[in-house]
Amino acid sequence: MTQAGVYGQRLGRGLHVKEAPVLITRSLRSAELAVTEVRNDNPTPDLSGSLPAEDAYLVSLKLRDYPACECWEEGRHVAKEDIRAGATYLYDLKRDPRYVIDKPFHSLFFYLPRSAFGDIARQPSAPRVGELSYAPGVGHDDGIIRHIGATLQQGLHRPDETNQLFVDHMMLALTAHVAQAYGGLKPAAEPNRGGLAPWQVKRACDRLDSDLSGKVALQQLAAELGLSVSHFSRAFRISTGLPPHQWLLQQRVKAAKQLMTVRDLPLSEIAISAGFANQSHFTRVFSQMVGVSPGAWRRETHGGPGDEK
């Protein structure tokens, strides 16, 4: 069995934290990607533990200032820098990255195996992505990673409400960005700018419609059409106007509207039937997409009680 990567509790142990919520995707053929949130407001001063050596990187978005951070690589002190909230730092797991934990910290860590960059760059004219360019202890002002990190942090806090397509989509976008920003990968000129063939659109949409809970993965959808994940995601958006996870949310709302024509059906049951995790999740998504709560929409559209409870 393949050894688990450096994320979740495995990463948490190295950073001396008990809770390390994680979201995982297998949307690329040869790579398992993950994002882990680590936080400790009252650490016991110590050097972080050695993490398993892997041909992989950790890309970290810092969510809290950390003055005078002492960074170590391969058993040697290599830098002492002030870390600012919002900055991005890179760590090569082959170099045994460690740092002195002597102050409260809060970070997101994206686990990216090197094989993931090979999958992203799998194009006839694309150069191989080798080492990522970084210096120990030197941060980057990366607005894209801040945006993706903030979006995925919401998913980490509500894992039951986070569909796999959303995690796949965001981690794929982050991997492509890291490969381009720090690995020298140039965006390929797309010879085929079109979307999916009509039969492919129908098959993909039928597949998504058959499981509104969103458990199907991007990799599975792409494989059923004989496409790479990145090609499928791009072509699906061109054809439908939405990425797969947003299209699925739209279908959930449409299904919920149909179910709400049955006056005696409680919103809690409608939420589950339409693929939402619970009524709270349903209410939040519906309100964002429609502009009013489900109960208000049912009252205005069909009359009768709104069943807001």
Side-chain angles (χ1 to χ4, degrees):
M1 179 178 288
T2 303
Q3 186 179 23
V6 182
Y7 54 78
Q9 289 303 320
R10 199 176 194 200
L11 174 61
R13 285 194 295 272
L15 298 178
H16 311 317
V17 298
K18 294 180 180 179
E19 300 293 331
V22 63
L23 295 172
I24 303 167
T25 176
R26 296 170 179 84
S27 63
L28 295 171
R29 267 179 284 188
S30 60
E32 188 169 72
L33 315 173
V35 56
T36 305
E37 184 174 13
V38 293
R39 177 173 184 167
N40 192 334
D41 294 328
N42 189 27
T44 301
D46 197 2
L47 186 66
S48 64
S50 283
L51 300 171
E54 291 191 14
D55 195 13
Y57 289 90
L58 291 175
V59 176
S60 180
L61 173 64
K62 305 305 181 183
L63 303 176
R64 181 171 186 164
D65 288 347
Y66 197 97
C69 179
E70 295 185 33
C71 304
W72 292 61
E73 280 193 350
E74 299 174 324
R76 296 182 298 109
H77 178 271
V78 292
K80 186 173 183 177
E81 302 288 343
D82 291 337
I83 286 178
R84 298 299 181 194
T88 291
Y89 290 79
L90 279 68
Y91 306 96
D92 187 340
L93 285 170
K94 299 194 307 299
R95 299 185 188 178
D96 187 25
R98 306 172 76 180
Y99 67 95
V100 175
I101 299 174
D102 57 359
K103 291 172 281 289
F105 62 90
H106 187 191
S107 304
L108 295 181
F109 284 90
F110 300 93
Y111 169 75
L112 304 178
R114 194 184 307 274
S115 60
F117 302 125
D119 286 340
I120 288 289
R122 187 171 288 156
Q123 319 221 10
S125 59
R128 178 179 175 274
V129 177
E131 301 288 326
L132 297 185
S133 176
Y134 81 98
V138 177
H140 303 269
D141 181 15
D142 194 318
I144 292 176
I145 289 183
R146 278 198 299 275
H147 170 72
I148 293 175
T151 305
L152 284 170
Q153 192 179 12
Q154 296 178 32
L156 285 160
H157 295 171
R158 295 191 179 106
D160 293 342
E161 301 178 9
T162 303
N163 73 64
Q164 190 60 48
L165 287 171
F166 164 75
V167 180
D168 293 350
H169 176 81
M170 298 306 294
M171 289 300 295
L172 182 68
L174 180 128
T175 305
H177 169 70
V178 170
Q180 292 173 15
Y182 307 103
L185 179 67
K186 295 181 179 179
E190 289 297 326
N192 179 12
R193 294 170 181 263
L196 299 171
W199 70 268
Q200 291 175 318
V201 176
K202 185 177 186 308
R203 181 175 295 183
C205 291
D206 286 349
R207 187 74 173 82
L208 289 169
D209 246 343
S210 69
D211 182 8
L212 290 176
S213 64
K215 293 178 182 177
V216 64
L218 270 182
Q219 182 185 28
Q220 188 176 350
L221 284 170
E224 290 179 10
L225 300 179
L227 303 174
S228 70
V229 172
S230 56
H231 183 183
F232 169 73
S233 297
R234 182 171 53 252
F236 185 94
R237 186 168 193 164
I238 291 170
S239 293
T240 67
L242 294 168
H245 71 280
Q246 287 285 355
W247 188 90
L248 181 66
L249 284 181
Q250 191 177 71
Q251 294 308 108
R252 286 178 177 174
V253 169
K254 186 182 296 185
K257 284 181 175 180
Q258 292 174 344
L259 289 168
M260 279 192 285
T261 63
V262 182
R263 291 191 184 184
D264 295 334
L265 197 60
L267 290 182
S268 57
E269 293 183 21
I270 290 172
I272 301 302
S273 298
F276 295 97
N278 48 51
Q279 186 175 337
S280 174
H281 181 211
F282 169 41
T283 299
R284 184 163 54 254
V285 172
F286 190 97
S287 300
Q288 290 172 349
M289 296 184 70
V290 180
V292 295
S293 70
W297 183 89
R298 179 150 71 174
R299 283 194 303 272
E300 293 168 5
T301 307
H302 301 287
D307 187 22
E308 294 285 5
K309 295 181 180 180

